Amino acid sequence: MDTPNHCQFCAQHPDSAFHGLNREGLEEISQLKTCVSFKKGQVLMHEGARPQGVYCLHRGKVKLFTLGTEGKEQIIRFVTKGDLIGYRSILSDEPISASAEALEDTFACYIPKSSFFKVIEDNPKFSLNLLKLSCHELGEAGKMITSLAQKNVKERLAEILLILNTTFGVDEEGYIDINLTREEIANMVGTATESVIRLISELRKEGYIRSKGKRIALEDRSALRQMASVFE
Amino acid sequence: MDTPNHCQFCAQHPDSAFHGLNREGLEEISQLKTCVSFKKGQVLMHEGARPQGVYCLHRGKVKLFTLGTEGKEQIIRFVTKGDLIGYRSILSDEPISASAEALEDTFACYIPKSSFFKVIEDNPKFSLNLLKLSCHELGEAGKMITSLAQKNVKERLAEILLILNTTFGVDEEGYIDINLTREEIANMVGTATESVIRLISELRKEGYIRSKGKRIALEDRSALRQMASVFE
DNA sequence: GTTTGAAAATGACAATTATCATATCTATCT
DNA sequence: AGATAGATATGATAATTGTCATTTTCAAAC
């Protein structure tokens, strides 16, 4: 039997979909899941496919993205420890809307579709958690829509840098603890790679951030928040 | 007792959150709800507020929008007959993320928060429907994000016109059956009002649409689909 | 340490989109 | 029917952003 404690561990986090489940529910999931690992760059799920289960991330980082016109990738959001992948597609009974690719070596639990539904049926609390989760993400998506529609590229870049800083934290030297290329940042901001590079240089010259290679550290977060009109 | 049949009527539509509920469940909702009406321009819910219940639209049209920087409104989506308003906020226990304003005289059923949760508890099917609904909308939001990030204004306008045509249908003369100003269209597309006006003229000159005052009719939908890169 | 390919940086220029000014139209009220 | 306010339309111009070309830097593999 492989690592039956993972679920209880994941469930500790208040934002986890498994939070607040009783012992039996967690035990049930632990029984039904299997553990899988992915190398950096591996694709967990393909846009358009019909997933046969959901992943719950145990360790690692994953980007979710759709392919727009001419194959350009648009990063929708990131998935980290404790987050689920594929639940949207299974619950709405639609093809996967975004591909999921590992940004670093990643470990996840796989819960087959049938087991997933069984846990939902057996645990109303789990169902409510999922509702809460999807409704929260719906609100986040709305914010992203407003940003893309109304802010200019520099404001959006400032916003994304703040989000990355919050989502992934910083290393010992203060750099945001995520390994993204400028192109990937551009694919979040919704702009050209060169524009991101130019604006990162600008922000550096203005003293709001510092950078070393591809790594970025925020120097003046409150100024960035003001620039991005983020009031949280 | 007011119009106890509304809920059964709404529940007929396969996309309704109330679809598939048993007789008792529908009866329960019919008991708990009250009917309200709104004049054109009235606000049903204010961004940032804490709603005390949800609305289920019975007749009329409502726009959902957030206010971006400098008070510019960004229309997220429209709500029509059978759709719910406010459920996202109540379920995620967050403030309302978008204001709701009636685009025409509108009738709705109001279900208080406590009653809403009671129906969820008593009817697992309802809970699953809501999950399906929010997950579907999450996918739609993802599409909108990719469009905003990657398409130019003309492509997005073509896409929005197709969506309006599908959502609201056409009148006897073939015009899209919704009364929107050019400014409101711009607030969906995420651009300046003048840009929308210019591009509507362009589309008209190119023969893809015709217009009469503020009313618009699609003349060549497949060309518009191609322009917008919509393959559905 | 050198090699080497990919990523970052920068400049020049083109395309897109926004802004401002102004004219025309249209629906509604009297 | 005429007045009027708000909406649509259009031109001129400015600002933003994208594209292409080239150079520099970086990091992994040998």
Side-chain angles (χ1 to χ4, degrees), chain B residues 98-119:
Chain B
S99 297
E101 181 182 324
L103 290 168
E104 53 186 53
D105 291 357
T106 290
F107 299 89
C109 299
Y110 183 74
I111 306 169
K113 193 170 166 176
S114 55
S115 308
F116 185 67
F117 275 114
K118 184 168 186 321
V119 180

Side-chain angles (χ1 to χ4, degrees), chain A:
Chain A
M1 178 86 53
D2 53 9
T3 54
N5 293 321
H6 278 179
C7 293
Q8 301 204 4
F9 192 67
C10 284
Q12 283 171 15
H13 196 286
D15 284 344
S16 163
F18 305 111
H19 187 72
L21 285 199
N22 55 31
R23 206 183 146 72
E24 291 76 36
L26 290 173
E27 202 56 52
E28 186 179 5
I29 298 168
S30 291
Q31 299 287 332
L32 297 170
K33 77 175 168 41
T34 55
C35 292
V36 278
S37 69
F38 299 92
K39 289 274 167 202
K40 177 179 177 177
Q42 260 195 294
V43 174
L44 286 78
M45 290 193 175
H46 265 107
E47 185 176 353
R50 290 276 180 174
Q52 294 308 306
V54 303
Y55 291 108
C56 176
L57 225 66
H58 178 56
R59 196 151 73 92
K61 289 159 191 161
V62 169
K63 66 175 173 184
L64 299 189
F65 61 95
T66 62
L67 292 180
T69 34
E70 292 152 50
K72 191 180 176 193
E73 99 182 20
Q74 173 62 33
I75 297 180
I76 305 286
R77 64 188 178 87
F78 294 102
V79 176
T80 56
K81 181 176 173 174
D83 294 336
L84 298 178
I85 298 175
Y87 81 98
R88 195 208 65 79
S89 165
I90 283 188
L91 287 171
S92 69
D93 193 28
E94 295 167 331
I96 294 259
S97 58
S99 297
E101 182 182 322
L103 289 168
E104 53 187 52
D105 291 358
T106 290
F107 299 89
C109 300
Y110 182 75
I111 306 169
K113 193 170 166 176
S114 55
S115 308
F116 186 66
F117 275 114
K118 185 169 187 320
V119 180
I120 289 180
E121 276 165 32
D122 295 353
N123 301 273
K125 171 75 177 161
F126 183 56
S127 178
L128 259 181
N129 282 352
L130 287 175
L131 254 178
K132 191 168 177 173
L133 184 65
S134 61
C135 286
H136 171 74
E137 282 181 8
L138 206 45
E140 295 297 310
K143 283 183 200 165
M144 191 157 176
I145 288 171
T146 305
S147 282
L148 281 166
Q150 300 198 352
K151 293 178 186 173
N152 65 32
V153 176
K154 193 170 183 181
E155 291 164 346
R156 299 205 304 270
L157 174 61
E159 186 176 20
I160 294 289
L161 291 178
L162 287 164
I163 290 174
L164 291 176
N165 198 71
T166 303
T167 307
F168 297 111
V170 298
D171 63 19
E172 333 68 65
E173 294 178 75
Y175 292 102
I176 298 174
D177 198 15
I178 176 74
N179 196 348
L180 293 175
T181 65
R182 300 290 189 256
E183 185 180 4
E184 284 172 316
I185 294 176
N187 290 345
M188 294 196 68
V189 174
T191 190
T193 306
E194 294 93 328
S195 296
V196 161
I197 291 173
R198 252 179 264 276
L199 291 169
I200 285 178
S201 295
E202 248 184 72
L203 289 174
R204 187 178 47 237
K205 282 168 196 160
E206 293 163 345
Y208 299 130
I209 64 175
R210 65 193 150 89
S211 68
K212 191 173 176 182
K214 54 163 53 174
R215 299 190 301 160
I216 296 172
L218 308 191
E219 292 278 279
D220 188 345
R221 282 197 277 166
S222 88
L224 288 170
R225 267 194 289 272
Q226 197 173 354
M227 180 181 302
S229 309
V230 175
F231 314 107
E232 292 163 41

Side-chain angles (χ1 to χ4, degrees), chain B residues 144-163:
Chain B
M144 191 157 176
I145 288 171
T146 305
S147 283
L148 282 167
Q150 300 198 351
K151 292 179 185 173
N152 66 31
V153 176
K154 192 170 184 181
E155 291 164 346
R156 299 205 302 269
L157 175 60
E159 187 175 20
I160 293 291
L161 291 178
L162 287 164
I163 290 174

Side-chain angles (χ1 to χ4, degrees), chain B residues 152-153 190-192 194-195 198:
Chain B
N152 66 31
V153 176
T191 189
E194 295 93 325
S195 296
R198 252 179 264 275

